[in-house]
Amino acid sequence: MSLSGLCQVCESREAKHTCTQCGTAVCDEHFDRTSGLCVRCADTSGKRDVSPTTDEVDEDDFHRI
Ligand SMILES: [Zn+2]
Ligand SMILES: [Zn+2]
């Protein structure tokens, strides 16, 4: 009895791990051991929302002298 499953990311290697978050079977290459997540989950864990680009600090620099 063996896990006849391929990595859901590359679909070319044998899945040896299972993501603890989404349950996706992934191979060694696409598994993050430190977090126990697949690369997909590990990738978005750091930055969930893209902060809006509201940087308006340039105006202050003009009045340096
Ligand atoms: Zn893979
Ligand atoms: Zn995952």
Side-chain angles (χ1 to χ4, degrees):
M1 181 173 172
S2 63
L3 290 172
S4 60
L6 291 175
C7 171
Q8 299 295 298
V9 179
C10 61
E11 295 184 344
S12 62
R13 287 163 171 258
E14 181 186 354
K16 295 180 179 179
H17 308 278
T18 303
C19 175
T20 56
Q21 184 167 299
C22 66
T24 298
V26 290
C27 68
D28 249 345
E29 289 273 324
H30 298 108
F31 182 75
D32 190 35
R33 287 191 174 189
T34 46
S35 57
L37 304 172
C38 66
V39 287
R40 289 175 180 174
C41 294
D43 202 28
T44 54
S45 62
K47 40 186 177 179
R48 291 204 58 178
D49 281 319
V50 179
S51 55
T53 57
T54 52
D55 285 328
E56 40 186 340
V57 195
D58 291 334
E59 286 191 26
D60 260 5
D61 271 354
F62 279 117
H63 304 287
R64 285 296 293 274
I65 300 179

